Amino acid sequence: MKLVVQVRLLPTPKQAAALEATLRACNDAANFASVTAFTTGDRREYALRKHTYREVKARGLGAQAAQHVIKKVADAYTTLKAGIRAGNLGPQGCARRIRAESKPIAFRADAAQPFDDRCLSWDHTAATVSIWSTTGWLKNVAFIGSPGQLQTLAVCRKGESDLVCRDGMWFLYATCEIPDVPVTAPDGFVGVDLGIANIATTSDGARHCGKGLNAVRHRNRELRRRLQAKATTSAKRLLKKRRREARFAADTNHTIAKRIVAEAERTGRGIALEDLGGIRDRVRLRKPQRVTLHSWSFHQLGSFIAYKAARHGVAVIRVDPAYTSQTCSACGHVDKANRTDQATFSCTSCGFAEHADVNAARNIASRGVAGWAVSHAADDAA
């Protein structure tokens, strides 16, 4: 299993200036390669290399750095093509898709740049790295991280590392390959219902409330509106601190995912999640509710649960969420009238009553059991 470990660099002012110049040079070369790819139509790495390698290298980049710049451009166009094919930029003819297709991909001056072991050398004992730069090798750049991250980095690092500048701080995102943990055959499933009022509700009755996170998002949204209207220098400076909300939401999701996985591992069960792919396109909401839905990081929470479960050998299965909120987990009766309001479920057939999200989570758990049995019956037959 691949995992990305983040460590923070502590460069001296001179080293920081060299790193900044390196990123600027790499991304300037990437913009040149992107324009070339757009005008010639050759967007695959090796074809693009024939057109741009000499010029990219002549801009002060080493041979290996030039190769990475060209690959970064080719990967960016591959990602754009995949996003268009998946419909992430809308249907053909819509304004967003036209904008994306009508101009070359542009790279910020401080966009991340990948380095491999020919451009980056780690010393885990001294907690330093040596990094290639346009001004020469930067020796003994200190880095810090949590004990768990540093141990994973020392033992499992494999592949490229991305140099990132964020809010004036320098980071390295290192790819690590964690040994696979065999998935334990589950004794039942913990169903997880994802929502807005309650971020996650389990079939055991545990509810992780989203009130605090939604309040933070509402407050930040109002603050951004006032600052954008004010448009002063200090207001624009405050608007740049937009990542604080994302970090808060990610920390909340990490905490919830860790608790759910720990409970599943303790009880020997798997985890059943809703397959919510494309929900933003399917759901129709009133305008005040759209912002809440589109800022809802359910995909991130699901991915956190999946990778934490994989590290502990906990089975994860995704199920169809259709009608889970309208189906009685006691008798199976499906009726829109069963869901009297956001929090209340009362079956019109058998009279069973439960918190609506808990009832939905139990239905998800049942579908997880059925889905696991069907998939493994096919495997056994094969």
Side-chain angles (χ1 to χ4, degrees):
M1 179 181 67
K2 288 189 176 182
L3 192 68
V4 176
V5 171
Q6 171 187 291
V7 295
R8 182 179 174 184
L9 299 179
L10 301 175
T12 64
K14 185 177 180 180
Q15 290 172 336
L19 291 176
E20 184 178 354
T22 300
L23 277 191
R24 191 181 302 112
C26 288
N27 287 301
D28 180 62
N31 283 324
F32 159 75
S34 179
V35 171
T36 303
F38 182 80
T39 53
T40 63
D42 290 331
R43 301 178 181 182
R44 304 181 72 174
E45 180 183 353
Y46 293 104
L48 184 58
R49 188 178 295 174
K50 294 179 182 178
H51 294 292
T52 60
Y53 177 73
R54 291 181 181 275
E55 175 64 23
V56 168
K57 194 176 176 184
R59 291 172 177 252
L61 304 187
Q64 200 65 16
Q67 305 258 16
H68 281 298
V69 164
I70 295 168
K71 184 177 184 299
K72 180 170 76 170
V73 173
D75 289 346
Y77 276 103
T78 300
T79 301
L80 175 62
K81 184 178 180 180
I84 291 173
R85 188 186 298 116
N88 297 335
L89 298 177
Q92 187 170 5
C94 79
R96 185 182 178 192
R97 180 167 172 175
I98 291 173
R99 284 197 302 270
E101 294 178 317
S102 62
K103 60 183 179 180
I105 294 176
F107 295 85
R108 303 187 318 273
D110 61 348
Q113 175 64 23
F115 289 86
D116 61 14
D117 288 343
R118 296 182 183 180
C119 306
L120 184 68
S121 176
W122 298 81
D123 185 345
H124 298 287
T125 303
T128 60
V129 294
S130 296
I131 308 175
W132 174 88
S133 75
T134 52
T135 59
W137 278 82
L138 304 179
K139 302 286 188 179
N140 303 322
V141 181
F143 66 85
I144 58 174
S146 69
Q149 287 176 319
L150 297 181
Q151 183 180 5
T152 301
L153 185 67
V155 176
C156 304
R157 187 191 66 81
K158 187 175 182 179
E160 297 179 350
S161 301
D162 287 352
L163 177 65
V164 177
C165 181
R166 191 176 69 223
D167 297 332
M169 297 179 288
W170 292 92
F171 299 90
L172 278 173
Y173 290 173
T175 303
C176 298
E177 288 193 3
I178 310 296
D180 291 334
V181 177
V183 175
T184 305
D187 183 18
F189 278 84
V190 178
V192 181
D193 178 66
L194 304 178
I196 296 175
N198 293 306
I199 298 175
T201 304
T202 70
S203 53
D204 294 337
R207 297 200 301 271
H208 302 277
C209 182
K211 184 177 180 180
L213 179 57
N214 290 332
V216 169
R217 284 177 169 156
H218 177 73
R219 183 172 67 249
N220 289 342
R221 191 161 58 245
E222 288 301 306
L223 177 60
R224 285 194 296 270
R225 182 183 61 79
R226 293 197 301 269
L227 291 174
Q228 287 166 353
K230 201 171 185 65
T232 62
T233 302
S234 59
K236 293 176 182 177
R237 185 167 58 247
L238 283 175
L239 282 169
K240 290 182 179 179
K241 297 182 179 180
R242 60 190 182 278
R243 296 187 183 91
R244 186 177 300 172
E245 179 183 319
R247 291 197 300 269
F248 176 74
D251 180 69
T252 301
N253 283 337
H254 271 299
T255 302
I256 294 172
K258 186 175 181 179
R259 290 176 180 172
I260 292 173
V261 172
E263 180 62 19
E265 183 184 21
R266 185 186 68 82
T267 56
R269 292 177 291 174
I271 300 173
L273 297 172
E274 301 168 278
D275 184 1
L276 296 175
I279 188 173
R280 288 186 174 91
D281 297 325
R282 297 196 307 268
V283 175
R284 296 292 180 266
L285 296 172
R286 293 182 295 109
K287 189 172 182 179
Q289 296 174 310
R290 293 174 196 164
V291 175
T292 303
L293 176 68
H294 287 273
S295 61
W296 182 34
S297 53
F298 63 87
H299 176 76
Q300 184 187 70
L301 177 57
S303 65
F304 285 174
I305 292 174
Y307 95 78
K308 292 178 190 294
R311 295 192 68 179
H312 293 85
V314 176
V316 174
I317 189 169
R318 295 186 179 272
V319 303
D320 183 2
Y323 304 108
T324 51
S325 62
Q326 300 176 15
T327 302
C328 177
S329 59
C331 70
H333 178 65
V334 182
D335 192 339
K336 188 175 181 180
N338 287 345
R339 185 77 178 263
T340 57
D341 56 44
Q342 187 279 323
T344 306
F345 181 92
S346 180
C347 182
T348 58
S349 177
C350 69
F352 173 76
E354 180 57 274
H355 189 283
D357 292 341
V358 174
N359 177 76
R362 290 177 180 172
N363 289 324
I364 293 167
S366 299
R367 293 186 184 185
V369 172
W372 183 266
V374 169
S375 63
H376 282 70
D379 293 341
D380 294 340

